[in-house]
Amino acid sequence: MSSYSSSARFDEARRVAIFGGTHGNEMSGVTLVNLWVKNGSEIQRKMVDTKPFITNPRAVEKCTRYVDTDLNRAFTPENLSALGEGDLPYEVQRAQEINRIFGPKGSPEAYDVIFDLHNTTSNMGCTLILESSKDYFNLQMMNYIKVTALRSYFCCVNIVLCDWFIAGLEVGPQPQGVLRSNIFEAMRVILKHALDFIELFNEGRTGVEFPTCTVEVFRVLERIDYPRDANGNIIAMVHPNLQDGDWEPLNPGDPMFLTFDGKTLHYQGSGTIYPTFINEAAYYEKQQAFVTTRRETLVASAIRKA
Amino acid sequence: MPYRARFGRKMECVSLPPLSNFAICGGTHGNELTGVYILREMQKHNVEKVGSVSITTVLSNPRAVDACRRYTDRDLNRCFTDDLLSSPITESTPYELRRAQELNAHLGPKGSEEAVDLLCDMHNTTSNMGLCIIFNSADWLILHICKYLQSKITSMPVRALQMDLPLSEAFSVDSLGKHGFSFEIGPQPHGVLRADVFNTMKEAVDLTIEWLQQFNSGRTFEGGEVEAYTRWKTVHYPRDPTTDEITAAIHPQLQDNDFKLLQPGDPIFLSLSGETVKHEGDALYPVFVNECAYYEQKIAYHLTQKSTLTLPSINVKKD
C-alpha cells in the first residue's frame, strides 16, 4: 500500500503527439493518422492538445519502409546535429524537422507524450514498448491500457522492456502494405485507452492517483540471427513450430530453425526464453530472426499529477 | 487447346507430345520470397536434368529481387502481351519491358515451336489462398497436373484458377511456355519467408517434375473431373470521390475467407467510420482478398465462378 505523499509526481501531459507512417508501409498508423488529421474529434480529450502527424510522408507515398534510411533509427545525436540540410538523407532531414517540432527530447519545449504507431509481420498481437523500468508514468499508462483492454475487449496486450528499441506501439501480424480491419481496430482501441489514461491523470482530483501496481513485462535479452553461409546468405528458415509462436516459451532443445533441405536446428540456450518479433520482414536486413526475452514483474510507483 | 465439358460420355484418351524441357521461374516479383529461395536451392544443387526432363531455373527479375521490391519500373508479370513483347526498345524503355523481351528470347518466343514445353512461375500472395494453380487457358495437361497435385498435397488446399484470356492478351511470364501456369501460395507477407509455405511450394515443384517424368515414360493418367474457378469480375475498394483515397478495409468476415462463397447481403467492407458494406448480386467466390500488391490499383478482390471440368485420360504420343 502506498501513501498519498509517496507517489511520484509528474506534470500534466498537455501536449500529446500520435505518429503514423514512421515506416511508410505499416498501414494501421498511416490510416489512423490520416483519418485523425481530417477529423480529430475521436482523439480530443479535455485539457490535452493531441496532434496526429505523418512522420515520413515520402515513404508513405511510395508505400515503402523508408526512402534513404530507417527513420526509426535516425534520431541519433549525430544526425540531429548534422549540417547539410538538403544533402542529408531524407530521413535525417525528417528527424531534424520532427525534433524541432516535437522536441528537443528532454527539453521543456518537448511534447509530453508521443505515441509512435507501428505494425509488424510477427504474430505479436498488441505490444507496447517501454524503454526504462523506472519510467513510472509510461509504466502506469501501459498497465492501465493492458487491464482495460483485457476487461473491455478480451484483448491481450504485452509490454516489452528494451532500452535499444524505440518506444512505441506494435500491432501484428499484418503484412507490410496491407490494412487489416481487426489490426486497425485494435490499434484504435489501444490509443483510446491511452488518451483516456492521460485525461484521467490530468484531471488529478485530490486524492485520486494511480496506485502502485505490479506489471508483467518481457525484458529483451538478445537478437538471434538466421544461420548464414560464408557469403552471408540465409541457410535456414524459422521453424514451423516457432513461427507465429511469439510470447510462447521456447525451451532448450525446442526446434528453432529448419534448413532448406529439411534439417531442424534446436535452441541451445541454457533456460526457457520467450521469443518475439519472430520473422519480422524488416529485420532480415538487420540480421534478426527473433529476439529472446524473459518474463519479469516490475513495480510501478504510484503516480499523481504534480 | 480448346476444351468442352462433356457429360455422361466417356472421353477418349488423348495423346500428347512428350514434355522434355521445363522452365521454373521465381522472383518475377522481387519480394515474393518463396520462389527466390526455391530457385537458390535448385541452383545450389545444380538441378538441370531429372530423368527425361531438362530443367531450366530462371530468376525473372534480379533487380527487384536485390531490392526486395515487387518491381523497379513496372510489374514484370504484366509485360508479356504480344504488343509489349514486340514494342521497340529505346533508351527510355522501362527495365521490366526489356527484361520481358529477354525472357521471351530465352524461354519463348511466345507462341512458337521453340518455346519451352512447360513453364511454371512461383508467386506468393498476402491473401489466404492456400496453393492456387493459375493458368490462362484450360489445357488437358495443366488440368491433369492440378488433379495430380490435389491428390498428393495435404498441407493446404489446392485449387485451380483460370484467367481465360486470348493468348495475345495473356500478360504473365507463364504465357511464354507452350504450356504454362503459376503457383500462387499464401498467406505470406511480402518480404517474409515462411517455412510452411516454402515446404509446400517445394513439394508442388517436385510433384510437377515427378508427373512430367511419369508422363514422358508412358503412364496413362486417368481422366476425371477437376473443379476450377474462373475469374468473373474485379471489386474495387470504396474511395473518397474527391481524393480517391480508400475509405474502408476488407470486412473481418470476408478477411481470410478466399474461396468461401459470398452471398448477397454478406459483409465485404468495414468503413473507417464503422459502416458495413454488403455484397450485392450473384453468389460468387472471392479470391485475392486483401492482396497487398493490388492496393496500387485499389483492387480489393476478384470474384470467380466455380465450374467442374471433365478431363479425358492422357498419355504421351509414341512415335
Side-chain angles (χ1 to χ4, degrees):
Chain A
M1 296 287 287
S2 68
S3 74
Y4 184 74
S5 57
S6 69
S7 348
R9 297 183 197 203
F10 293 87
D11 289 331
E12 271 176 1
R14 278 294 198 162
R15 294 192 303 162
V16 173
I18 302 176
F19 288 170
T22 296
H23 296 134
N25 54 10
E26 294 175 12
M27 301 307 294
S28 306
V30 171
T31 309
L32 276 171
V33 165
N34 279 336
L35 187 70
W36 289 331
V37 162
K38 275 209 266 294
N39 180 356
S41 51
E42 194 179 324
I43 55 171
Q44 291 317 312
R45 296 290 187 278
K46 282 198 298 266
M47 301 191 304
V48 182
D49 171 22
T50 315
K51 188 176 169 79
F53 188 78
I54 294 284
T55 46
N56 197 339
R58 265 198 223 168
V60 168
E61 204 184 345
K62 294 179 170 211
C63 197
T64 187
R65 182 176 176 86
Y66 56 81
V67 171
D68 294 329
T69 184
D70 192 333
L71 177 60
N72 214 24
R73 308 286 184 274
F75 288 85
T76 61
E78 300 75 28
N79 279 345
L80 292 177
S81 54
L83 300 170
E85 288 184 20
D87 295 327
L88 294 170
Y90 174 71
E91 278 84 6
V92 172
Q93 295 178 46
R94 281 308 288 169
Q96 292 185 351
E97 177 72 5
I98 290 162
N99 195 44
R100 260 194 296 278
I101 301 171
F102 298 98
K105 193 170 175 174
S107 73
E109 295 83 46
Y111 269 58
D112 301 302
V113 186
I114 296 179
F115 297 107
D116 193 18
L117 306 183
H118 288 269
N119 291 116
T120 172
T121 57
S122 306
N123 188 27
M124 289 170 72
C126 299
T127 300
L128 302 170
I129 300 183
L130 180 70
E131 289 179 72
S132 159
S133 60
K134 302 283 182 262
D135 181 350
Y136 297 129
F137 181 87
N138 273 313
L139 197 48
Q140 285 277 3
M141 178 167 62
M142 292 181 184
N143 182 61
Y144 176 87
I145 293 169
K146 193 171 159 149
V147 165
T148 318
L150 190 62
R151 192 181 61 220
S152 316
Y153 300 96
F154 306 108
C155 168
C156 182
V157 175
N158 290 307
I159 300 169
V160 161
L161 174 62
C162 184
D163 60 13
W164 40 270
F165 281 169
I166 317 294
L169 164 59
E170 285 279 353
V171 186
Q174 179 169 272
Q176 295 169 347
V178 163
L179 183 72
R180 284 183 68 102
S181 185
N182 60 331
I183 301 288
F184 172 81
E185 292 298 332
M187 193 178 272
R188 205 173 189 169
V189 158
I190 300 285
L191 278 164
K192 175 193 170 332
H193 294 327
L195 293 171
D196 288 346
F197 171 87
I198 291 171
E199 187 177 49
L200 281 169
F201 175 81
N202 285 351
E203 271 177 13
R205 297 189 296 274
T206 309
V208 171
E209 60 169 21
F210 289 89
T212 197
C213 60
T214 57
V215 189
E216 275 241 333
V217 304
F218 290 90
R219 182 187 286 270
V220 170
L221 301 170
E222 58 174 350
R223 302 179 164 98
I224 307 289
D225 190 14
Y226 292 93
R228 292 174 191 268
D229 64 18
N231 297 322
N233 298 313
I234 286 172
I235 55 170
M237 308 167 278
V238 170
H239 195 281
N241 287 22
L242 176 57
Q243 178 70 53
D244 303 330
D246 300 68
W247 315 118
E248 300 295 315
L250 184 70
N251 304 303
D254 283 351
M256 186 170 61
F257 293 111
L258 183 68
T259 67
F260 295 113
D261 44 18
K263 187 164 148 243
T264 295
L265 305 174
H266 302 270
Y267 178 59
Q268 304 285 345
S270 52
T272 297
I273 55 94
Y274 295 83
T276 191
F277 276 115
I278 299 172
N279 209 349
E280 158 54 48
Y283 291 170
Y284 283 58
E285 72 174 19
K286 292 177 167 50
Q287 280 130 15
Q288 188 176 303
F290 62 97
V291 298
T292 59
T293 74
R294 66 160 186 261
R295 297 176 84 135
E296 220 171 274
T297 305
L298 298 184
V299 176
S301 168
I303 64 167
R304 67 182 178 94
K305 188 175 79 163
Chain B
M1 192 186 296
Y3 73 96
R4 273 185 290 282
R6 300 176 199 191
F7 299 97
R9 198 179 115 195
K10 192 174 185 314
M11 295 163 86
E12 284 187 17
C13 184
V14 171
S15 293
L16 300 168
L19 299 151
S20 9
N21 44 69
F22 175 42
I24 176 138
C25 299
T28 300
H29 295 133
N31 54 5
E32 294 175 18
L33 294 192
T34 309
V36 173
Y37 280 86
I38 294 269
L39 281 188
R40 274 193 201 171
E41 285 303 298
M42 289 177 80
Q43 286 163 358
K44 202 158 85 178
H45 293 108
N46 293 316
V47 176
E48 281 172 5
K49 201 160 170 66
V50 180
S52 56
V53 184
S54 299
I55 297 177
T56 305
T57 52
V58 180
L59 190 68
S60 311
N61 195 340
R63 271 196 212 174
V65 170
D66 276 342
C68 198
R69 297 189 61 74
R70 182 174 176 83
Y71 56 80
T72 50
D73 297 330
R74 59 187 279 181
D75 189 338
L76 176 61
N77 215 28
R78 302 291 183 273
C79 291
F80 294 90
T81 61
D82 284 12
D83 282 347
L84 289 173
L85 286 177
S86 55
S87 62
I89 300 284
T90 67
E91 294 248 321
S92 58
T93 302
Y95 169 72
E96 276 86 5
L97 279 181
R98 288 173 203 266
R99 185 68 186 137
Q101 294 196 8
E102 272 171 30
L103 290 167
N104 189 39
H106 181 35
L107 302 171
K110 180 181 173 189
S112 76
E113 269 310 299
E114 289 75 45
V116 68
D117 292 326
L118 180 64
L119 196 161
C120 168
D121 190 24
M122 297 181 286
H123 286 267
N124 293 116
T125 172
T126 57
S127 307
N128 185 27
M129 288 171 68
L131 167 55
C132 207
I133 302 165
I134 305 181
F135 48 89
N136 188 36
S137 57
D139 69 41
W140 302 139
L141 212 116
I142 292 175
L143 289 171
H144 265 281
I145 292 174
C146 287
K147 190 164 167 291
Y148 189 72
L149 264 51
Q150 281 172 337
S151 71
K152 300 275 189 174
I153 292 177
T154 53
S155 52
M156 56 177 75
V158 181
R159 300 180 183 97
L161 178 57
Q162 181 180 355
M163 303 298 283
D164 218 12
L165 291 163
L167 185 61
S168 62
E169 288 171 41
F171 48 70
S172 51
V173 67
D174 56 82
S175 67
L176 295 184
K178 291 202 190 72
H179 306 273
F181 62 87
S182 295
F183 286 138
E184 186 83 57
I185 304 190
Q188 179 171 271
H190 298 317
V192 162
L193 184 68
R194 285 183 67 103
D196 51 1
V197 170
F198 178 92
N199 287 340
T200 301
M201 184 78 86
K202 182 168 188 305
E203 193 186 0
V205 170
D206 289 345
L207 286 169
T208 302
I209 295 172
E210 186 179 283
W211 188 94
L212 288 171
Q213 282 186 268
Q214 292 185 20
F215 176 79
N216 288 344
S217 64
R219 176 178 160 181
T220 297
F221 286 91
E222 288 303 317
E225 288 182 342
V226 169
E227 265 179 1
Y229 296 83
T230 310
R231 202 168 81 162
W232 195 248
K233 68 183 248 193
T234 299
V235 177
H236 290 84
Y237 283 101
R239 283 158 352 257
D240 181 296
T242 38
T243 61
D244 204 37
E245 276 168 17
I246 290 172
T247 54
I250 297 285
H251 195 280
Q253 285 181 40
L254 173 57
Q255 179 69 54
D256 302 330
N257 281 321
D258 302 67
F259 296 106
K260 186 164 169 233
L261 187 65
L262 195 60
Q263 312 261 22
D266 286 348
I268 50 176
F269 295 113
L270 183 61
S271 79
L272 303 181
S273 46
E275 286 101 41
T276 296
V277 178
K278 296 182 179 171
H279 175 65
E280 290 167 10
D282 299 327
L284 291 164
Y285 296 86
V287 300
F288 283 113
V289 176
N290 210 347
E291 160 54 46
C292 170
Y294 290 173
Y295 279 66
E296 203 174 54
Q297 292 127 56
K298 316 272 198 279
I299 292 172
Y301 54 94
H302 299 301
L303 285 169
T304 65
Q305 282 193 324
K306 188 162 69 165
S307 53
T308 305
L309 307 176
T310 308
L311 313 184
S313 303
I314 61 169
N315 58 22
V316 71
K317 195 182 287 184
K318 294 176 180 55
D319 290 325

